[in-house]
């Protein structure tokens, strides 16, 4: 991971006294875990107008349930409506936005002016946040959108800390920035490779991740270069700003956005938990803040690509891209979710999410201090029948645990 440092960049903090931690939620379960593990807000996709058409997008009924769950934690739900619309996409837009408003959604994230204008006109209780798809990088563009009535701008991933400081100095508006997750090889996600290769429109929700494919290299005369060489990809390393929380807060970023609506439940919970602890620790005592190694270790347990700091400190170079096939093997794999704990017996009921068996090293973690390692001992089903392994998806497993656990704590197994 890149570990650059920079002089403290003092932006003009406006609107939010404490930065919001904004997490992705590809489905209702992920929404609940993201909020439970510390997200102040989550962003989701509905069944139209979003850029993740392959995600488990939300029905209006699921949105209502998600909003009600989030409200119990004081959290908000945003909906991505960030496609660039074609003529045929406009039919039904007004009704869709009004349904979002009725479901209790706090804001939409939009890029297309017609979606922005329509929301302001027909669903005035919905805040409109400008999507990163608008590639906003300068304070005058930010001011333009503020004058159009938008309370928040999601900056392009290409924005540096210095540029953010200048924006905050000139415009009294909330600034949201991606601080963790996948980066795009194209400018702010405006890619047409997917369209060209597969006829799937990246800017209408169909990106096929073609930058992550394996390619062969050819010279002009169509002779392959290095017949015995490995194939290569052209994807970028993932963004991680966990080591630079003070810089992000002091420059004035209002909302820390984690990428990953297509990511796993384990990934969402792990990343949110690490950033939640870091943000809270800094805000509690900025003068004595200290980055903890355990937070970085947790990130690496969920990361599936090498990490860097994106454009925040400098322009990424060749070393910030992935040219060889990716080694995606994190050292731990998601194994189960705690359903209940019997203090008297010292046992927990675990909902199986991946195969595990006696003798394996496992680790429990949760948002309220749960963290310990142990070796899996005897296993049984809920009828008391002994098991030689937890083989079946979502099976309820009874096992002894070495310390107290809580519902929604997670269990992961060491795989290397």
């Amino acid at each position: 991971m890149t570990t650059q440092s920079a002089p403290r960049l003092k932006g003009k903090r406006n609107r939010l006294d404490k930065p919001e931690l904004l997490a992705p939620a590809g489905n209702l379960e992920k929404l609940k875990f993201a909020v439970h593990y510390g997200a102040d807000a989550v962003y989701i996709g509905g069944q139209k107008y979003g850029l993740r058409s392959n995600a488990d997008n939300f029905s209006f009924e699921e949105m209502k349930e998600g909003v009600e769950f989030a409200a119990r934690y004081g959290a908000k739900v945003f909906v991505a409506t960030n496609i660039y619309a074609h003529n045929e996409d406009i039919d039904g837009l007004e009704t869709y936005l009004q349904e979002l408003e009725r479901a209790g959604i706090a804001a939409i994230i939009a890029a297309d002016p017609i979606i922005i204008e329509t929301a302001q006109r027909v669903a005035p209780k919905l805040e409109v946040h400008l999507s990163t798809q608008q590639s906003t990088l300068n304070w005058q563009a930010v001011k333009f959108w503020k004058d159009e009535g938008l309370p928040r701008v999601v900056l392009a991933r290409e924005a540096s800390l210095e540029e953010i400081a200048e924006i905050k100095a000139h415009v009294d508006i909330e600034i949201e920035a991606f601080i963790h997750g996948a980066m795009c090889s194209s400018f702010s996600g405006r890619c047409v490779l997917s369209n060209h290769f597969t006829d799937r429109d990246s800017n209408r929700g169909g990106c096929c991740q073609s930058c992550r494919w394996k390619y062969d290299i050819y010279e002009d005369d169509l002779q392959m270069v290095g017949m015995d060489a490995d194939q290569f990809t052209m994807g970028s390393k993932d963004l991680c700003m966990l080591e630079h929380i003070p810089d992000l807060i002091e420059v004035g970023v209002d909302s820390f956005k984690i990428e990953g609506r297509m990511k796993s439940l384990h990934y969402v919970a792990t990343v949110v938990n690490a950033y939640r602890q870091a943000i809270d620790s800094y805000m509690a005592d900025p003068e004595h803040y200290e980055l903890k190694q355990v937070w970085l270790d947790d990130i690496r347990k969920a990361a599936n690509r090498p990490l860097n700091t994106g454009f925040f400190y400098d322009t990424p170079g060749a070393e910030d891209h992935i040219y060889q096939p990716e080694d995606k093997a994190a050292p731990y794999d998601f194994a189960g979710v705690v359903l209940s704990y019997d203090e008297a017996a010292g046992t927990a009921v675990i909902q199986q999410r991946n195969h595990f068996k006696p003798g394996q090293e496992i680790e429990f973690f949760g948002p309220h201090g749960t963290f310990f390692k142990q070796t899996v001992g005897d296993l049984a089903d809920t009828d008391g029948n002994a098991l030689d392994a937890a083989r079946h998806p979502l099976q309820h497993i009874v096992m002894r645990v070495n310390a107290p656990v809580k519902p929604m704590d997670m269990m992961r197994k060491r795989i290397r």
Side-chain angles (χ1 to χ4, degrees):
M1 184 191 302
T2 307
T3 57
Q4 296 124 309
S5 60
R8 291 288 184 260
L9 298 163
K10 295 287 187 179
K12 180 184 177 184
R13 282 210 63 80
N14 299 316
R15 306 293 295 276
L16 298 184
D17 293 329
K18 183 178 182 179
E20 171 187 273
L21 181 58
L22 176 58
N27 58 35
L28 186 57
E29 183 183 42
K30 292 175 187 177
L31 181 153
K32 292 179 178 181
F33 273 80
V35 170
H36 183 69
Y37 275 71
D40 300 303
V42 294
Y43 63 100
I44 67 176
Q47 295 180 346
K48 296 177 70 176
Y49 304 109
L51 286 184
R52 290 292 181 270
S53 60
N54 292 324
D56 295 329
N57 291 315
F58 285 63
S59 67
F60 292 122
E61 287 303 313
E62 289 172 325
M63 289 182 190
K64 291 175 184 177
E65 183 177 344
V67 167
E68 291 171 0
F69 181 89
R72 295 201 291 270
Y73 289 77
K76 298 178 180 180
V77 180
F78 307 151
V79 172
T81 57
N82 51 349
I83 67 166
Y84 282 101
H86 289 237
N87 289 323
E88 62 266 28
D89 295 319
I90 302 304
D91 186 40
L93 176 61
E94 290 188 4
T95 301
Y96 180 80
L97 294 170
Q98 289 168 339
E99 287 290 342
L100 295 183
E101 185 179 57
R102 282 191 283 270
I105 298 301
I108 61 168
I109 305 165
D112 194 309
I114 189 58
I115 296 178
I116 294 170
E117 184 276 332
T118 303
Q120 292 173 324
R121 177 168 50 83
V122 305
K125 293 181 182 178
L126 283 179
E127 284 192 1
V128 181
H129 299 170
L130 188 71
S131 171
T132 190
Q133 295 299 112
Q134 268 289 348
S135 307
T136 309
L137 288 162
N138 65 79
W139 71 264
Q140 293 182 16
V142 172
K143 184 177 183 302
F144 169 86
W145 289 109
K146 181 188 176 183
D147 292 344
E148 290 295 309
L150 275 62
R152 178 182 295 190
V153 167
V154 187
L155 294 180
R157 285 176 173 84
E158 293 78 16
S160 69
L161 283 176
E162 290 184 358
E163 288 170 322
I164 295 172
E166 186 172 2
I167 290 167
K168 292 295 291 188
H170 284 90
V171 190
D172 180 9
I173 194 171
E174 292 177 10
I175 292 297
E176 181 177 309
F178 281 94
I179 53 87
H180 193 93
M183 299 285 282
C184 184
S185 296
S186 299
F187 195 90
S188 291
R190 293 188 175 190
C191 178
V192 294
L193 287 177
S194 178
N195 307 51
H196 178 70
F197 290 144
T198 67
D199 200 29
R200 287 168 50 181
D201 191 338
S202 301
N203 294 301
R204 298 173 81 190
C207 180
C208 67
Q209 299 280 308
S210 48
C211 58
R212 306 289 182 186
W213 294 0
K214 296 177 181 178
Y215 293 88
D216 294 317
I217 307 177
Y218 290 83
E219 293 280 13
D220 290 341
D221 59 4
L222 299 185
Q223 294 298 309
M224 188 182 293
V225 177
M227 293 295 290
D228 58 348
D230 289 334
Q231 294 171 312
F232 78 101
T233 71
M234 53 183 172
S236 63
K237 294 181 179 179
D238 280 3
L239 174 65
C240 178
M241 287 293 286
L242 184 65
E243 295 178 76
H244 306 282
I245 293 297
D247 283 352
L248 291 168
I249 293 175
E250 292 178 20
V251 81
V253 176
D254 295 284
S255 180
F256 291 7
K257 189 170 191 172
I258 298 167
E259 182 275 337
R261 280 193 286 140
M262 302 290 285
K263 299 286 191 178
S264 71
L265 183 68
H266 173 247
Y267 177 94
V268 171
T270 300
V271 174
V272 168
N273 194 41
Y275 278 95
R276 177 78 279 154
Q277 293 180 75
I279 293 168
D280 289 350
S281 180
Y282 178 84
M283 296 301 295
D285 190 358
E287 295 301 319
H288 299 95
Y289 171 78
E290 183 178 350
L291 178 74
K292 293 185 178 180
Q293 186 62 42
V294 66
W295 303 336
L296 293 171
D297 292 342
D298 275 359
I299 289 291
R300 294 186 178 102
K301 289 171 184 176
N304 59 7
R305 296 190 188 106
L307 305 171
N308 69 10
T309 55
F311 289 81
F312 281 109
Y313 295 100
D314 55 24
T315 301
E319 71 280 2
D320 295 300
H321 289 76
I322 302 168
Y323 297 107
Q324 298 297 322
E326 302 170 30
D327 178 9
K328 294 189 176 183
Y332 283 81
D333 196 8
F334 183 29
V337 174
V338 175
L339 298 179
S340 63
Y341 172 64
D342 184 334
E343 183 177 5
T347 60
V349 177
I350 310 295
Q351 186 183 64
Q352 190 261 32
R353 294 303 178 97
N354 273 302
H355 180 281
F356 63 93
K357 61 184 180 180
Q360 285 186 305
E361 180 185 320
I362 57 170
E363 183 175 284
F364 285 94
F365 73 99
H368 305 296
T370 301
F371 184 81
F372 63 93
K373 297 179 181 181
Q374 70 171 71
T375 300
V376 177
D378 293 337
L379 302 177
D381 63 22
T382 51
D383 293 325
N385 300 309
L387 301 171
D388 64 346
R391 302 180 183 280
H392 305 295
L394 304 183
Q395 184 180 17
H396 291 189
I397 305 294
V398 180
M399 61 177 287
R400 184 171 295 279
V401 291
N402 290 357
V405 290
K406 300 179 178 66
M408 297 182 78
D409 284 353
M410 286 191 173
M411 186 182 91
R412 51 194 173 204
K413 62 179 181 179
R414 189 170 185 87
I415 57 177
R416 63 180 176 87

